């Protein structure tokens, strides 16, 4: 038995569905309207045969940060392994595998300004020792877990990116919070817009909004000349269905379609943010006007 959450990345949900086909049972927990899990519900979902709980550290669409310390404490109490997909969290928020009782942690380099094509899996060695089956059989590299000659330049680039990211967490967070506050200030001139996800328990660089009466794709077209934007998640942008994350928050389909996620980075400037904000306001107003909304 495995427990995970509706708002997980497909990198977690798809393997869980695959495991179901192999005979595992999977419980997929709902989230509240703010994107946070309910710890009581989580505790109740654990069974004597539960082997793993997988909950992401920070959501890739709405930036919501789950209470990792409290989740880890519950997992330890019930002796269930705790895996967290921390792809969005590394270098953005403090992570401590000891304090948070994390047994397995997945990371990827390109979300922290590192090179694409490399990731890492932290595997706890003691208290408890996590035993995994090999992902790739062969020469026995990576303690036999993932055979194959290591890609040294990617590894070095990944480590450097994480080192720089972690060093700058405080500075980046305050810079990004300032940029985000300014962006929200400009965009919230519009009426009938809604923030998706918890207002404060989220990544500093993430702003996700739903805009009534506007199609996300049309909005993207209007903004494309000046900014790199995506609606929903890049990893499933080929899907036309509304985001499973926004649907999990209880957003009606009409609002889940008309959503926009801003991912701000430490390299963004106030001038860029103001330009984008003003362009969003102009584009939304003209799209609404065209529809007499
Ligand atoms: C990007 C991302 C992934 C996938 O990582 P890739 O290295 O791009 O395959 C998984 N989970 C989350 C939360 C992500 O943001």
């Amino acid at each position: 038995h495995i427990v995970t959450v509706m708002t997980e990345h497909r990198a977690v949900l798809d393997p869980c569905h695959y495991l179901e086909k192999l005979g595992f049972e999977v419980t997929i927990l709902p989230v509240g309207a703010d994107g946070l899990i309910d710890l009581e519900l989580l505790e109740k979902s654990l069974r004597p045969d539960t082997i793993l709980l997988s909950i992401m550290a920070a959501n890739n669409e709405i930036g919501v940060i789950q209470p990792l310390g409290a989740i880890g404490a519950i997992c330890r109490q019930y002796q269930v392994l705790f895996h967290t997909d921390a792809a969005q969290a590394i270098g953005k928020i403090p992570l401590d595998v000891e304090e948070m009782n994390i047994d397995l942690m997945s990371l990827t380099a390109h979300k922290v300004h590192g090179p694409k094509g490399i990731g890492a899996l932290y595997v706890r060695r003691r208290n408890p020792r996590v035993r995994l089956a090999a992902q790739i059989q062969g020469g026995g590299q990576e303690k036999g877990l993932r055979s194959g000659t290591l890609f040294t330049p990617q590894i070095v680039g990944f480590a450097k990116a994480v080192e720089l990211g972690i060093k700058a967490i405080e500075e980046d967070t305050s810079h990004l919070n300032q940029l985000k506050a300014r962006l929200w200030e400009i965009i919230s001139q519009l009426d009938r817009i809604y923030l998706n996800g918890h207002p404060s328990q989220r990544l500093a660089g993430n702003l996700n909004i739903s805009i009534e009466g506007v199609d996300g794709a049309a909005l993207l077209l209007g903004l494309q000349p000046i900014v790199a934007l995506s609606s929903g998640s890049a990893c499933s942008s080929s899907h036309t269905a509304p985001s499973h994350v926004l649907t999990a928050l209880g957003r009606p389909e009409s609002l889940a379609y008309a959503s926009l996620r801003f991912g701000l980075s430490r390299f963004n400037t106030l001038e860029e943010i103001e330009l984008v904000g003003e362009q969003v306001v102009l584009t939304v107003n003209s799209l609404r006007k065209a529809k007499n909304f």
Side-chain angles (χ1 to χ4, degrees):
H1 179 236
I2 294 168
V3 178
T4 187
V5 183
M6 277 170 85
T7 49
E8 290 294 303
H9 192 278
R10 288 186 54 196
V12 168
L13 290 176
D14 285 3
C16 283
H17 291 314
Y18 173 72
L19 288 170
E20 259 181 332
K21 282 188 203 152
L22 298 186
F24 285 81
E25 276 183 69
V26 179
T27 299
I28 302 182
L29 296 171
V31 293
D34 57 6
L36 287 170
I37 55 145
D38 177 339
L39 291 171
E40 247 173 69
L41 202 62
L42 183 154
E43 190 171 351
K44 274 193 212 136
S45 74
L46 301 178
R47 314 190 316 211
D49 63 341
T50 306
I51 56 165
L52 179 73
L53 178 86
S54 188
I55 296 189
M56 69 201 327
N59 187 274
N60 50 301
E61 289 186 36
I62 53 176
V64 168
I65 299 166
Q66 299 291 353
L68 297 181
I71 297 167
I74 294 173
C75 286
R76 191 51 45 92
Q77 187 190 338
Y78 288 86
Q79 300 192 341
V80 169
L81 291 180
F82 175 27
H83 168 254
T84 188
D85 171 356
Q88 291 285 335
I90 184 79
K92 315 261 176 60
I93 57 169
L95 292 169
D96 185 329
V97 293
E98 292 307 329
E99 220 173 82
M100 297 168 167
N101 287 310
I102 294 168
D103 300 311
L104 293 155
M105 180 164 69
S106 304
L107 307 171
T108 186
H110 71 107
K111 303 285 172 65
V112 62
H113 302 291
K116 289 186 180 69
I118 182 143
L121 176 67
Y122 161 79
V123 183
R124 177 175 290 282
R125 193 152 48 162
R126 249 186 263 118
N127 303 322
R129 180 182 183 86
V130 179
R131 295 172 180 279
L132 296 180
Q135 298 299 294
I136 299 176
Q137 306 279 346
Q141 288 91 342
E142 312 267 10
K143 299 197 164 63
L145 282 178
R146 191 189 188 281
S147 288
T149 301
L150 304 179
F151 195 176
T152 316
Q154 300 296 92
I155 295 169
V156 173
F158 186 8
K160 193 68 192 175
V162 170
E163 185 191 317
L164 294 174
I166 288 176
K167 236 188 249 169
I169 284 182
E170 268 183 52
E171 196 185 318
D172 287 349
T173 300
S174 89
H175 174 62
L176 291 171
N177 275 329
Q178 258 175 304
L179 295 185
K180 187 166 65 174
R182 182 71 186 120
L183 184 58
W184 181 243
E185 189 177 36
I186 297 172
I187 293 177
S188 55
Q189 295 169 36
L190 294 164
D191 56 2
R192 289 163 295 172
I193 61 163
Y194 311 92
L195 178 71
N196 292 316
H198 194 280
S200 58
Q201 197 152 322
R202 66 193 296 143
L203 295 173
N206 175 286
L207 186 68
N208 188 313
I209 55 172
S210 282
I211 308 168
E212 243 181 82
V214 168
D215 174 52
L219 185 55
L220 281 194
L221 274 181
L223 297 171
Q224 237 158 27
I226 60 154
V227 63
L229 274 171
S230 73
S231 71
S233 151
C235 310
S236 34
S237 57
S238 55
H239 295 234
T240 48
S243 143
H244 73 281
V245 174
L246 297 184
T247 311
L249 303 185
R251 288 289 190 217
E253 241 185 51
S254 58
L255 279 183
Y257 272 114
S259 73
L260 203 54
R261 171 193 56 166
F262 298 91
L264 312 181
S265 97
R266 74 169 78 121
F267 298 115
N268 284 125
T269 63
L270 194 60
E271 293 72 53
E272 288 172 336
I273 293 310
E274 290 181 337
L275 181 68
V276 169
E278 282 153 17
Q279 197 65 34
V280 169
V281 172
L282 281 175
T283 311
V284 169
N285 279 335
S286 78
L287 288 171
R288 279 179 172 172
K289 205 166 168 191
K291 280 173 65 180
N292 278 323
F293 185 78

